Amino acid sequence: MAFDLTGKTVIIVGGAGYIGAHVCKAIADHGGIPVTFDNFSSGHEHAVKWGPFETVDLRDKASTLEAFKKYKTAHSVVHLASSIEVGIGEKDPSGFYENNVIGAFNLLEAMRELALTNLIFSSTCATYGETDQMPLLESQVQNPFSVYGKTKLAIEHMIQSYHNAYGLAYITLRYFNASGADSSGLIGEEHDPETHLIPIALAAAAGLRGKMKIFGTDYDTPDGTCIRDYIHVSDIAGAHICGLKAFANGLKSTEVNIGTGQGVSNLEILQMIETVTGLPVAYDAAPRRAGDLTRLYADPERAKEVLGFTAKHSNLENIIQTAWTFHRGVWNLK
Ligand code: UFG
């Protein structure tokens, strides 16, 4: 029987964002009530469709606590709100530490004050850092290279401390590259500015921008470009449902990778976009982007063992097809 969340409230901090909106939809699809906390710094009002909304800026400790008090009987909290663009973090570490680390501290303090015990936290494969040990196991030493990865690792450590000292139950999901869009075409990736490879390449294919840049063609990989593990956002949302179920079954703490185990190069992404859209993607080779790692792909076994999670929507063609369908709608293309 499908896991039933009927009558259960789940607070989704960052629920108006790309991944957050898909998590809200999945919770509603399972009968639960997703309450979005967001400040629309990068999320969108139109993406809040499946439950109540509260304006919350985690950097403000007092108002964050007040918002949590309104939902103090919530079953769980999902924390997705953060600054995510790797390149921007290198240029503005101050904003990243404030938004990500201080924001997470204020969230944890509100949960502690109200004795809210179940937290699912969005972490990242960028916490591991440069290593030749691929696929990445959760036991891999974490030595992040980017400011982004450093802020996420600091939060992981805070969460572990709150678990040890105050009994917080947590599941830290280390996502690989979120991609694709819900099959309804209603929600998808909409960052402003957009820095991610797939939406930028789709815009180039659609003729909505000039040539794109491929950052680094001299990496030690078969085609010289970086390798990532692209996981469909609907699979990431499904991993949260598995996490909520694991709490119900008594799980108290874990860190798991959420990826497919398949590494795909930047040029392979462009090739698949050309196949799916039937349009060429014009690009120039450009210097490496600060903060980028050569290759990142997951060992997905632990997520299967501990959460019963496996990716179902993440074949590359489906990722590009669903992203293309969503963007065609946003861009009013025929
Ligand atoms: N890239 C280009 N040209 C572009 C944009 C990106 O060549 O115009 C390259 C990047 O340099 C990188 C690859 O495409 O080699 C993927 O870059 P993205 O910006 O799409 O994704 P990242 O891997 O940098 O980061 C994303 C999320 C993070 C997450 C990380 C995990 O932004 O939140 O995936 O790898 F942690």
Side-chain angles (χ1 to χ4, degrees), residues 82-87 123-127 148 152 175-178 189 191 194-201 209 212-216 219 225-230 266 288-289 291-294 296:
S82 76
S83 303
I84 59 161
E85 303 83 0
V86 175
S123 190
T124 168
C125 58
T127 57
Y148 169 67
K152 288 285 187 173
Y175 310 152
F176 285 65
N177 285 53
E189 192 165 11
H191 299 116
E194 188 52 81
T195 61
H196 292 96
L197 178 65
I198 292 175
I200 286 175
R209 49 168 296 143
M212 66 173 297
K213 291 179 178 164
I214 288 294
F215 300 128
Y219 284 98
T225 65
C226 290
I227 289 176
R228 295 288 180 272
D229 180 339
Y230 291 87
N266 295 347
R288 294 181 178 197
R289 187 176 69 176
D292 275 348
L293 293 162
T294 307
L296 289 165

Side-chain angles (χ1 to χ4, degrees), residues 109-131:
E109 283 293 279
M111 288 184 69
R112 180 160 81 101
E113 166 106 17
L114 299 170
L116 284 164
T117 50
N118 294 342
L119 173 67
I120 299 183
F121 171 58
S122 306
S123 190
T124 168
C125 58
T127 57
Y128 292 112
E130 193 75 278
T131 169

